[in-house]
């Protein structure tokens, strides 16, 4: 994934690049902060995965949430989201790319999405596990299909 | 197709190039004369597509009378004016692009951005060869490659709404989707097997907008092809969301006789951005200078049964 070189903004308003994730395996998904349907469940699934990892694996693994809604997911919105869900900032990174780059990211992760008239974004639930080299090693589409395969994938990506 | 002034310009360029070559060959006393490099192809004409509406196949949730009921309706999308290439990007066009963008040549493209059959019908990195005639649409290109090409031209891929709006037209009408004969023609194209070597652009039909071959030659990448959701993944209650299913959700909303539109919906849902296939190419769209970024907006639910203006 590190071939994607466009800039992203984190929850502190800093400009970041995907390449900065190099060196530690990471688990990633695409959500948006005003989503009331599937995103809270994705986040909960990722937190359950975080708790299920052995302590040494957990210490080395990052969790990344990419925004599907960069216009509304400002750094403040990302911070509020992280606070509401109690995300450990030493392990969790929330990133928002520009609209065109977000589309590229969704294409790479194969996240299907469609904004609708009411301001919601219908989208598929995708969780990927990437190695320290940024290569995607495992991809889960759909919710709640069980943690064991994700745990195994994270361990294999170490 | 070159029109009068264009063909005269091309002839002038060819004549100038020939003169320069003769002069250069006389000046060079020793060593090989470099082969002439085709630096550009005649620019593809761009047609102005006026603002209008597009009615998608699917229904969307719209606020109902009470909090607990969610009505679903087809929400017509306003499509702003934009410019569209007269024909699909050709092998000649794409060759000129990979000359100046080596990262998109077959031997160098990243597997993140294109699968293993990327341009595999070309004879070489810079040699389309007999399977890919210069004026035929380029195929076996991924969405990422198409987007990069479009950006290099100062344009972008058309959105599904934009593409479908133009695809609704036949030779005389902007919206021919109520005409059974038009729908039959399109279905017949989908039923035909792909020829081994694609015909040239402009070889099928020109629609009322002046755009060629929207049906009959290739399938085309769109900017938001990955908006074709076919299951209720986003619903928290986990139940089947009929608004996102082609069949049940769309009956009574879209014209069910437009089987081809359902085929395209299903096709888009099956694609991934890195895929390359035999009949999948693209054309480029451009924002109009006046409107700048021509974003499509979702309009409130329309009760009109009429088709596109």
């Amino acid at each position: 994934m590190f071939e994607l070189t466009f800039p992203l903004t984190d929850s502190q308003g800093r400009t970041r690049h995907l390449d900065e994730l190099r060196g530690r395996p990471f688990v990633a998904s695409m959500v948006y902060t005003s989503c009331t349907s599937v995103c809270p469940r994705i986040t909960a699934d990722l937190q359950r995965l975080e708790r299920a990892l052995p302590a040494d694996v957990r210490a080395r693994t990052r969790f990344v949430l990419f925004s599907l809604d960069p216009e509304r997911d400002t750094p403040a919105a990302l911070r509020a989201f992280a606070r509401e869900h109690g995300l450990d900032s030493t392990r969790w990174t929330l990133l928002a790319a520009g609209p065109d780059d977000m589309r590229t990211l969704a294409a790479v992760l194969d996240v299907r999405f469609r904004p609708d008239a009411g301001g919601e974004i219908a989208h598929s639930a995708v969780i990927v596990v990437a190695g320290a080299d940024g290569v995607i090693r495992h991809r889960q589409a759909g919710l709640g299909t069980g943690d064991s395969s994700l745990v195994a994938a994270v361990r294999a990506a170490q | 197709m070159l029109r009068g002034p264009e063909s005269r310009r091309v002839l002038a360029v060819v004549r100038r190039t020939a003169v320069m070559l003769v002069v250069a060959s006389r000046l060079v006393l020793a060593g090989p004369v470099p082969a002439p490099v085709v630096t550009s192809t005649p620019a593809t004409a761009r047609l102005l597509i006026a603002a209008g509406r597009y009615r998608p196949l699917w229904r969307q949730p719209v606020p109902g009378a009470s909090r607990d009921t969610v009505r679903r309706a087809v929400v017509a999308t306003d499509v702003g004016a934009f410019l569209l290439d007269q024909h699909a990007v050709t092998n000649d066009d794409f060759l000129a692009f990979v000359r100046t963008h080596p990262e998109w040549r077959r031997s160098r493209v990243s597997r993140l951005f294109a699968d293993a059959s990327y341009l595999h019908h070309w004879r070489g990195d810079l040699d389309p060869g007999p399977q890919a005639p210069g004026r035929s649409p380029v195929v076996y290109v991924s969405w990422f490659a198409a987007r990069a090409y479009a950006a290099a031209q100062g344009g972008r891929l058309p959105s599904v709404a934009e593409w479908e709006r133009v695809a609704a037209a036949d030779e005389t009408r902007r919206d021919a989707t109520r005409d059974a004969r038009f729908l039959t023609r399109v279905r017949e194209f989908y039923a035909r097997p792909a020829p081994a070597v694609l015909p040239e652009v402009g070889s099928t039909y020109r629609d009322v907008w002046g755009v060629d071959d929207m049906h009959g030659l290739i399938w085309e990448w769109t900017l938001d092809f990955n908006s074709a959701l076919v299951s209720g993944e986003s619903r928290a209650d986990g139940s089947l969301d009929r608004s996102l299913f082609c069949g049940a959700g769309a009956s009574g909303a879209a014209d069910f006789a437009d089987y081809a539109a359902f085929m395209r919906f299903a096709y888009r849902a099956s694609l991934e951005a890195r895929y390359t296939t035999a009949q999948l190419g693209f054309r480029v769209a451009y924002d109009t200078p006046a409107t700048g970024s021509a974003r499509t907006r979702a309009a409130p639910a329309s009760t009109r049964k009429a088709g596109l203006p």
Side-chain angles (χ1 to χ4, degrees), chain A residues 1 3-4 36-38 41 71 99-100 103-104 106-108 110-114 116-118 120 122-125, chain B residues 58 60-61 75 110 112-113 143-144 147 223-227 229 233-234 236 244 268-269 271-273 295 298:
Chain A
M1 276 187 66
E3 291 172 80
L4 302 173
T36 54
S37 55
V38 71
R41 285 185 58 181
E71 281 177 36
D100 285 343
R103 197 178 285 287
T104 304
V108 168
D110 197 21
V111 171
R112 325 299 277 207
F113 69 98
R114 183 175 66 229
D116 72 23
E120 286 200 19
H123 66 98
S124 56
Chain B
W58 55 85
Q60 302 182 30
V75 178
S110 160
L112 192 67
F113 300 134
W143 178 83
F144 294 108
R147 246 180 129 205
L223 183 64
D224 53 343
F225 78 94
N226 58 350
S227 62
L229 292 152
E233 298 106 331
S234 68
L244 294 172
R268 285 181 201 116
L271 292 171
E272 288 186 26
R295 308 186 96 100

Side-chain angles (χ1 to χ4, degrees), chain B residues 145-180:
Chain B
R147 246 180 129 205
Y149 176 96
Q153 315 307 313
R156 54 176 174 77
L157 291 177
S159 67
V160 169
E162 288 172 334
W163 195 94
E164 289 285 338
R165 167 149 169 73
V166 177
D170 70 1
E171 290 86 340
T172 56
R173 291 163 296 182
R174 290 182 177 181
D175 181 8
T177 58
R178 295 284 188 271
D179 182 347

